[in-house]
Amino acid sequence: MAATASRARPGRWLLALAAVGVLAGCGGGPAQNISLIPGNQIEAQSRRDGLFVQPVKWQHTKPGCQGECPSIKLESLVFPSVPRLTQLVDHALAMMTGVNAKRIPPYSTVAGYEEYFWKTAAPRDSTMLSAKARYRSKYLTVIELDTWQYLTGAAHGLSATQFLNWDNSRQGVLSLDQVLLPGKHQAYVEALRAAHQRWLASNPDARHDPATYNRLWPFQPSDNYAFSDDGLVVKYDSYQIAPYSAGQPELRIPYAELAGILKPEYLPSASR
């Protein structure tokens, strides 16, 4: 695997999902007076009405290997009532590993990736694949997909994250453009920029030398969003807007700042 594999941008594997017909379309929309974000419930309450989910976990090393051996660890999710979503999660995790930023990998499932990995991995290569539910309600299921890959001889592993915002009733992933009002993408970017400024204000390294930090790690727009109880969460990979030591920054845009930007059905009633 190329050293840049784990930093391949999410857009590529989303295109691959569409190409194989896994990504469901989301035509139409709910009535404007229905809120898909229950404003009077916290996540612990709203998840009771969400899709039933079961965990799946395993850790494998290369068959027949002795001594230092490549390994894969999986902590994922199965949705027994929605096999399409289970398939999507599996496919997306596999595609996020990447083998070359310029082409689609020669596999489409975690099982296929494992087979490929044993053929190509160096002795200390390691991959961790994770899928977890960040938010669940009657209407929406938000899944965070994480990959971490260490290549033998590298200074450290590299991680990548992608959110899937699944519409339970329409059986499909909601892209950012599908939840924004027409013509409001730039307004979303400005709201994200304001969230970035708040994040900088809480970042000791950025406060120490703001000019240098902003020059080295300027703001970048992102469509890697997730619904939550109190706003949209936007998460970045390592090295996108901060050094490796900062991990994977999360910016939060409160729903109150998204009124007139998000479609009304994606706002709690109190935020409209």
Side-chain angles (χ1 to χ4, degrees), residues 181-237:
L181 287 166
K184 293 296 182 177
H185 188 271
Q186 188 56 40
Y188 158 80
V189 171
E190 293 309 314
L192 181 59
R193 190 188 302 274
H196 179 251
Q197 289 299 313
R198 291 191 292 269
W199 179 79
L200 289 176
S202 67
N203 184 326
D205 292 334
R207 292 202 308 267
H208 175 70
D209 188 350
T212 299
Y213 197 94
N214 286 328
R215 176 174 57 83
L216 294 174
W217 307 107
F219 167 75
Q220 294 185 40
S222 173
D223 60 0
N224 187 29
Y225 82 99
F227 288 104
S228 72
D229 285 330
D230 53 6
L232 291 189
V233 174
V234 179
K235 191 165 184 173
Y236 291 83
D237 290 343

Side-chain angles (χ1 to χ4, degrees), residues 15 69 93 133 192 214:
L15 288 174
C69 300
L93 284 174
L192 181 59
N214 286 328

Side-chain angles (χ1 to χ4, degrees), residues 26-49:
C26 291
Q32 295 298 301
N33 62 344
I34 297 176
S35 174
L36 303 186
I37 309 295
N40 61 345
Q41 295 183 9
I42 61 174
E43 184 181 354
Q45 294 172 323
S46 63
R47 68 169 53 242
R48 296 173 188 170
D49 297 325

Side-chain angles (χ1 to χ4, degrees), residues 14-240:
L14 280 177
L15 288 174
L17 292 178
V20 297
V22 178
L23 186 58
C26 291
Q32 295 298 301
N33 62 344
I34 297 176
S35 174
L36 303 186
I37 309 295
N40 61 345
Q41 295 183 9
I42 61 174
E43 184 181 354
Q45 294 172 323
S46 63
R47 68 169 53 242
R48 296 173 188 170
D49 297 325
L51 299 179
F52 177 61
V53 59
Q54 293 178 321
V56 53
K57 299 181 180 181
W58 51 255
Q59 185 166 356
H60 297 164
T61 56
K62 184 175 180 179
C65 179
Q66 302 293 326
E68 285 191 324
C69 300
S71 63
I72 302 176
K73 182 178 181 180
L74 175 78
E75 294 186 1
S76 191
L77 302 171
V78 171
F79 297 85
S81 63
V82 190
R84 189 183 188 91
L85 181 53
T86 300
Q87 181 186 10
L88 174 59
V89 168
D90 180 84
H91 178 72
L93 284 174
M95 300 303 287
M96 285 175 68
T97 59
V99 295
N100 187 309
K102 296 181 180 180
R103 68 183 179 91
I104 294 174
Y107 47 79
S108 60
T109 64
V110 170
Y113 169 70
E114 183 177 12
E115 181 180 355
Y116 174 88
F117 186 70
W118 299 145
K119 294 177 181 177
T120 60
R124 295 178 58 202
D125 285 7
S126 180
T127 298
M128 290 191 289
L129 308 172
S130 171
K132 58 186 176 183
R134 281 287 297 251
Y135 176 79
R136 284 193 292 146
S137 71
K138 179 179 179 181
Y139 304 106
L140 300 171
T141 301
V142 179
I143 303 165
E144 180 178 332
L145 304 172
D146 296 292
T147 61
W148 180 88
Q149 294 175 277
Y150 175 77
L151 303 179
T152 300
H156 53 71
L158 288 176
S159 54
T161 297
Q162 182 68 27
F163 291 122
L164 295 178
N165 296 270
W166 179 264
D167 185 303
N168 295 341
S169 63
R170 287 184 283 169
Q171 300 280 291
V173 173
L174 294 165
S175 69
L176 179 64
D177 286 342
Q178 287 175 306
V179 302
L180 295 178
L181 287 166
K184 293 296 182 177
H185 188 271
Q186 188 56 40
Y188 158 80
V189 171
E190 293 309 314
L192 181 59
R193 190 188 302 274
H196 179 251
Q197 289 299 313
R198 291 191 292 269
W199 179 79
L200 289 176
S202 67
N203 184 326
D205 292 334
R207 292 202 308 267
H208 175 70
D209 188 350
T212 299
Y213 197 94
N214 286 328
R215 176 174 57 83
L216 294 174
W217 307 107
F219 167 75
Q220 294 185 40
S222 173
D223 60 0
N224 187 29
Y225 82 99
F227 288 104
S228 72
D229 285 330
D230 53 6
L232 291 189
V233 174
V234 179
K235 191 165 184 173
Y236 291 83
D237 290 343
S238 299
Y239 294 118
Q240 282 191 281

